[in-house]
Amino acid sequence: MRWKGRRVSTNVEDRRGGGAKAGGISILGLIVAFVAWKFFGVDPQQAYQATQAVTNSQSSQQASAPQNLTAEQKEVGDFVGTILADTEDTWTPIFQQLGSTYQPPRLVLFNGVVRSGCGTAQAAMGPFYCPADQKVYIDTSFFRDMRQQMGISGEKNQTELSRQDQAGDFAQAYVIAHEVGHHIQNLLGISGQVQQARAQVNQTQGNQLSVRLELQADCFAGIWANKNHQRTQFLEQGDIEEAMDAAKKIGDDYLQRRATGQVVPDSFTHGTSEQRMHWFQVGLKSGDVNQCNTFA
């Protein structure tokens, strides 16, 4: 996949290296609150909250520009920023055609644990989109695990880092485009409608609605691949097969069978391997939002 040399999005928050530490109990905040109460009669809780707000803001700013990144970490940051920019350049004109203005999400890179508008999240959850703050969250170790699961080594030397067609790149880009697809659903009001519908049905029916939502995000990812290739000619031989392999290995049936040797369809929340591959291809071949109605 060709990705180097294109625009890098400014909507990336790099919290690798401690961004999740903000928000903890601050000794400095407690001291300031005590002094404010003792000598100035200020409500200690208000003083503490004000101090924490400044501390958290400073921590967030520091975390957005981590220091001493390795070559691989810098490469990942550039890659993610480029793919995010590609989604912006894809969806902006589509929204214009729909008579609306596209508001891109921010993408947060983190290590281990992160605080989001949807609560605290861990790397084990995998990439996710939080509608509360309209941000995509990705622990970059997921990409390493993904390469290993797909049979691609995560250990890269300098020569490999310089390759623009590094194996596994398109599969990783597909994951980013899928999460941005959830942002599209949020902007279009689809996510809210599904949430309301899930509140009125049982668990099994709610899971089925979740599956349809996830499959539509796969279809939207396919639209991104279609439009972005028209614009940049970034796809190379084998890229689509990479995406299909990724879709296969994150299907509910594949994951359940691998983990337990059994498949429980009623518990599916993302769709089978076949469904995920199918709907990505629908978006890829059509490039048409109207063809992504997985709820029909």
Side-chain angles (χ1 to χ4, degrees), residues 20 58 91 101 105 173 179 206 211 235 246 282:
Q58 291 174 344
W91 288 104
T101 300
E179 296 305 331
V211 166
L235 292 175
V282 169

Side-chain angles (χ1 to χ4, degrees), residues 81-112:
T82 300
I83 302 306
L84 187 63
D86 285 344
T87 66
E88 295 165 356
D89 294 339
T90 293
W91 288 104
T92 294
I94 292 177
F95 269 66
Q96 290 175 345
Q97 294 171 3
L98 297 174
S100 184
T101 300
Y102 180 58
Q103 300 294 332
R106 293 187 67 80
L107 190 152
V108 179
L109 293 174
F110 70 97
N111 285 332

Side-chain angles (χ1 to χ4, degrees), residues 39-212:
F39 296 99
F40 300 101
V42 177
D43 185 335
Q45 183 175 3
Q46 293 181 353
Y48 177 76
Q49 291 175 344
T51 304
Q52 283 295 85
V54 174
T55 302
N56 291 348
S57 176
Q58 291 174 344
S59 298
S60 177
Q61 293 173 3
Q62 292 171 357
S64 66
Q67 303 297 317
N68 302 320
L69 292 178
T70 65
E72 181 178 354
Q73 289 173 323
K74 291 178 182 178
E75 180 95 345
V76 169
D78 289 342
F79 172 77
V80 169
T82 300
I83 302 306
L84 187 63
D86 285 344
T87 66
E88 295 165 356
D89 294 339
T90 293
W91 288 104
T92 294
I94 292 177
F95 269 66
Q96 290 175 345
Q97 294 171 3
L98 297 174
S100 184
T101 300
Y102 180 58
Q103 300 294 332
R106 293 187 67 80
L107 190 152
V108 179
L109 293 174
F110 70 97
N111 285 332
V113 180
V114 69
R115 287 192 175 186
S116 74
C118 298
T120 301
Q122 297 182 341
M125 294 175 56
F128 68 95
Y129 171 71
C130 175
D133 56 19
Q134 297 192 354
K135 293 181 180 181
V136 172
Y137 292 83
I138 297 178
D139 185 317
T140 52
S141 66
F142 173 81
F143 290 150
R144 181 185 64 248
D145 296 340
M146 187 178 183
R147 287 194 300 269
Q148 292 172 348
Q149 181 181 2
M150 294 174 65
I152 301 168
S153 173
E155 298 298 327
K156 300 187 292 296
N157 57 36
Q158 288 301 118
T159 301
E160 289 173 318
L161 281 171
S162 66
R163 292 175 52 208
Q164 292 193 18
D165 61 343
Q166 179 185 317
D169 279 354
F170 187 67
Q172 296 167 24
Y174 152 68
V175 171
I176 297 172
H178 171 92
E179 296 305 331
V180 172
H182 286 309
H183 178 65
I184 304 302
Q185 293 171 321
N186 189 34
L187 294 180
L188 295 178
I190 299 171
S191 300
Q193 294 175 13
V194 170
Q195 189 67 23
Q196 291 178 357
R198 289 189 63 194
Q200 301 173 12
V201 298
N202 60 38
Q203 182 68 44
T204 299
Q205 294 170 323
N207 288 344
Q208 293 173 352
L209 288 171
S210 295
V211 166
R212 294 176 184 269

Side-chain angles (χ1 to χ4, degrees), residues 10 20 22:
T10 58

Side-chain angles (χ1 to χ4, degrees), residues 191-253:
S191 300
Q193 294 175 13
V194 170
Q195 189 67 23
Q196 291 178 357
R198 289 189 63 194
Q200 301 173 12
V201 298
N202 60 38
Q203 182 68 44
T204 299
Q205 294 170 323
N207 288 344
Q208 293 173 352
L209 288 171
S210 295
V211 166
R212 294 176 184 269
L213 197 68
E214 294 294 336
L215 294 178
Q216 187 177 62
D218 282 332
C219 190
F220 286 167
I223 289 178
W224 158 78
N226 176 299
K227 299 296 186 182
N228 199 53
H229 186 63
Q230 291 183 26
R231 186 175 63 87
T232 68
Q233 297 296 302
F234 78 120
L235 292 175
E236 296 180 302
Q237 184 176 359
D239 283 343
I240 300 303
E241 289 76 10
E242 264 184 27
M244 291 299 96
D245 188 47
K248 174 183 177 182
K249 291 180 177 176
I250 55 178
D252 285 324
D253 54 341

